[in-house]
């Protein structure tokens, strides 16, 4: 898929208007705090609804205004389509090709994007929550059903955790945990299953990319670390049984802690280079190569799953990579529509064939 038009109304600091991107590379350049990332964010919001910056929906509305509207026109599934998102004092309205939808997840599978920003470069060594976010965000963009399951799981988990906190004061409530356990295990086992399947798919591509960047000297692997010992090859039912058994064993710990210790919300994955944990042993260059490989693999898996190439959003990431990794990346994404932000014209000039947009105080030229 590719974007043929993007329209803003009261979105962040961007002037009302539209941009008509090129089919290949689009370079958005300008000084700091002019609105470059805001443009990428607007493109990202159509693939599932949440900001990659962790912003709240009201944050999107231009200061002093009370609504914000984004419209994207894109070519996907052999035809031109359009989608609109309206943020209006805490409420969100989404429409696709003129038809109202209850959520922007309705665009999953039609409109896909991959975002790559400097924070991603530290994915290997950061805490487990950023790796869980990476994998969950990817499985949700593949299938609308995964997004629904994840959201229900989180609701159930919050309810169970609230009860665990009450049990601290009222131990007699302990028997009520069972009400949530069934749902927790049935939804949670599906998430773990999808994650394992996803890792299995992504690693095949990521391995190849990583080998390519390292001149075939390094072997990349990923090992899923499950709090209920689920492993590659397990069926959903097997994971369900393991989850239920481990959850039962952990009930006293959970009551003491006031939260649930078992489940996808506590799982992680190790990135391994040449049989060593990258988190501990890899150099900064190796860690960056691993993330670059994972991001490229994420794009590849998405296009395989949905049958549409995702739009690639590179937020200030080129200047963070050395020449070799830069050209590796640009070469591998040559078939995708790409939006690249960068600060100086020199860097923008390097991307010769790209369509250029200069941005200053929200004005796009
Ligand atoms: N809701 C909003 N209304 C108006 N301006 C906003 C809003 N949210 C963020 N901004 C402004 O947008 C600018 C940051 O834009 P950003 O796209 O992050 O810049 P950069 O060009 O560095 O990527 C800041 O000046 C910030 O104050
Ligand atoms: Mg920025």
């Amino acid at each position: 898929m590719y974007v043929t038009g993007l329209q803003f109304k009261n979105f962040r600091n961007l002037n009302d208007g539209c941009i008509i991107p090129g089919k290949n590379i689009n370079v958005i350049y300008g000084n700091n705090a002019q609105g470059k990332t805001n443009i990428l964010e607007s493109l990202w919001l159509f693939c599932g609804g949440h900001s990659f910056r962790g912003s709240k929906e009201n944050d999107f509305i231009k200061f002093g205004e009370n609504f914000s509207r984004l419209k994207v026109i894109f070519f996907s599934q052999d035809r031109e389509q359009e989608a609109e998102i309206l943020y209006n004092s805490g409420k969100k309205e989404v429409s696709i090709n003129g038809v109202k939808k209850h959520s922007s997840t309705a665009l999953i599978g039609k409109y896909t994007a991959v975002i790559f920003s400097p924070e991603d470069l530290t994915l290997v060594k950061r805490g487990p929550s950023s790796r869980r976010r990476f994998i969950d965000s990817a499985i949700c963009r593949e299938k609308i059903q995964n997004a629904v399951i994840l959201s229900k799981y989180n609701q159930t988990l919050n309810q169970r955790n609230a009860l665990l906190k009450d049990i601290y004061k009222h131990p007699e409530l302990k028997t009520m945990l069972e009400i949530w356990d069934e749902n927790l295990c049935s939804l949670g086992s599906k998430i773990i299953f999808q994650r394992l399947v996803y890792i299995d798919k992504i690693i095949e591509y990521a391995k190849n990319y990583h080998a390519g960047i390292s001149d075939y000297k390094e072997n990349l692997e990923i090992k899923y670390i499950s709090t209920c010992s689920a492993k590659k090859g397990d069926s959903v039912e097997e994971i369900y049984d393991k989850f239920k058994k481990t959850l039962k064993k952990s009930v006293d710990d959970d009551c003491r802690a006031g939260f649930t210790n078992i489940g996808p919300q506590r799982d992680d994955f190790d990135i391994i280079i040449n049989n060593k944990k990258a988190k501990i042993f890899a150099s900064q260059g190796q860690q960056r190569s691993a993330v670059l490989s994972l991001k490229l693999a994420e794009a590849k898996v998405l296009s395989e799953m949905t049958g549409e190439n995702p739009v690639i959003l590179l937020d200030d990431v080129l200047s963070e990579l050395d020449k070799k990794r830069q050209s590796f990346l640009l070469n591998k994404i040559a078939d995708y529509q790409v939006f690249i932000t960068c600060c100086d014209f020199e860097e923008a000039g390097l991307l010769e064939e790209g369509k250029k947009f200069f941005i200053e105080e929200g004005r796009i030229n």
Side-chain angles (χ1 to χ4, degrees):
M1 63 149 287
Y2 56 93
V3 173
T4 53
L6 178 66
Q7 224 179 70
F8 317 98
K9 173 81 186 163
N10 296 343
F11 185 77
R12 299 261 196 202
N13 76 328
L14 300 177
N15 280 16
D16 293 352
C18 67
I19 62 172
I20 309 290
K23 208 174 156 184
N24 302 109
I25 292 186
N26 295 279
V27 185
I28 300 158
Y29 69 102
N31 287 333
N32 275 326
Q34 303 303 306
K36 301 184 296 296
T37 303
N38 292 342
I39 297 178
L40 297 197
E41 182 176 50
S42 72
L43 286 162
W44 172 258
L45 289 171
F46 287 96
C47 65
H50 297 288
S51 166
F52 56 84
R53 299 201 259 195
S55 306
K56 303 243 177 348
E57 287 178 357
N58 276 345
D59 300 345
F60 303 140
I61 302 172
K62 183 173 278 182
F63 301 146
E65 300 290 342
N66 51 22
F67 78 96
S68 170
R69 190 168 52 233
L70 292 172
K71 179 172 173 178
V72 70
I73 303 167
F74 60 103
F75 198 86
S76 165
Q77 298 171 325
D78 300 322
R79 64 195 172 111
E80 194 156 82
Q81 311 202 42
E82 58 174 63
E84 235 180 75
I85 310 181
L86 173 76
Y87 299 98
N88 195 347
S89 35
K91 282 194 305 235
K92 184 164 74 176
E93 283 176 27
V94 179
S95 71
I96 303 172
N97 301 322
V99 180
K100 275 205 173 139
K101 300 282 172 184
H102 67 281
S103 145
S104 52
T105 52
L107 272 163
I108 289 174
K110 287 187 180 169
Y111 181 101
T112 53
V114 168
I115 174 85
F116 191 5
S117 64
E119 296 95 80
D120 291 317
L121 287 168
T122 58
L123 183 80
V124 174
K125 62 173 190 301
R126 285 219 311 263
S129 61
S130 56
R131 285 182 292 279
R132 286 191 291 264
R133 219 175 305 123
F134 167 80
I135 195 166
D136 287 340
S137 162
I139 62 171
C140 288
R141 269 170 293 143
E142 273 185 348
K143 268 192 251 168
I144 190 162
Q145 205 193 352
N146 290 343
V148 175
I149 294 172
L150 190 66
S151 141
K152 283 190 188 157
Y153 179 83
N154 286 328
Q155 276 171 19
T156 313
L157 180 68
N158 287 340
Q159 283 158 334
R160 189 180 193 271
N161 284 345
L163 179 60
L164 283 167
K165 288 190 179 73
D166 286 346
I167 290 172
Y168 190 73
K169 285 183 227 140
H170 306 282
E172 71 278 8
L173 294 174
K174 200 168 165 183
T175 52
M176 285 177 66
L177 275 174
E178 275 175 29
I179 301 173
W180 306 118
D181 289 2
E182 177 55 35
N183 264 345
L184 198 77
C185 293
S186 108
L187 296 162
S189 55
K190 288 179 188 146
I191 297 168
I192 298 171
F193 178 79
Q194 290 295 340
R195 285 182 180 177
L196 285 163
V197 169
Y198 183 74
I199 286 180
D200 213 28
K201 276 190 282 190
I202 199 177
I203 193 60
E204 282 316 307
Y205 291 115
K207 235 182 207 313
N208 269 328
Y209 288 130
H210 194 96
I213 312 174
S214 66
D215 297 326
Y216 298 88
K217 291 192 186 106
E218 295 173 10
N219 179 40
L220 181 73
E221 284 165 282
I222 299 178
K223 189 166 179 284
Y224 191 76
I225 310 164
S226 157
T227 43
C228 67
S229 322
K231 57 178 196 317
K232 179 182 161 178
D234 283 353
S235 66
V236 177
E237 292 74 26
E238 283 166 321
I239 299 172
Y240 173 90
D241 289 342
K242 287 180 175 180
F243 196 165
K244 196 127 202 203
K245 221 159 104 192
T246 326
L247 193 66
K248 215 168 192 162
K249 273 195 208 153
S250 159
V251 74
D252 290 335
D253 286 345
D254 287 3
C255 288
R256 266 193 300 275
F259 58 82
T260 308
N261 286 285
I262 308 299
Q265 78 285 1
R266 305 282 286 175
D267 291 355
D268 191 4
F269 61 87
D270 269 335
I271 295 162
I272 294 161
I273 300 173
N274 288 349
N275 294 322
K276 293 201 173 65
K277 281 188 191 179
K279 187 176 190 166
I280 304 168
F281 295 104
S283 68
Q284 195 198 50
Q286 284 176 315
Q287 293 182 23
R288 290 179 167 218
S289 298
V291 176
L292 189 54
S293 306
L294 285 174
K295 279 281 157 187
L296 287 168
E298 182 187 344
K300 204 80 188 168
V301 171
L302 265 176
S303 62
E304 212 177 55
M305 277 293 298
T306 63
E308 297 290 338
N309 268 354
V311 173
I312 309 271
L313 310 171
L314 302 178
D315 195 15
D316 285 338
V317 87
L318 277 191
S319 56
E320 297 283 326
L321 299 172
D322 57 25
K323 285 277 167 300
K324 185 179 164 191
R325 289 182 180 87
Q326 266 183 16
S327 59
F328 185 86
L329 171 63
L330 290 172
N331 180 277
K332 296 294 173 197
I333 57 178
D335 294 338
Y336 295 84
Q337 186 184 35
V338 188
F339 291 81
I340 299 177
T341 66
C342 56
C343 272
D344 54 83
F345 185 74
E346 301 263 298
E347 199 185 332
L350 289 175
L351 303 154
E352 275 165 28
E353 75 274 46
K355 185 164 179 181
K356 316 244 182 343
F357 298 92
F358 175 64
I359 176 155
E360 196 172 27
E361 292 178 8
R363 264 193 330 276
I364 307 163
N365 300 297

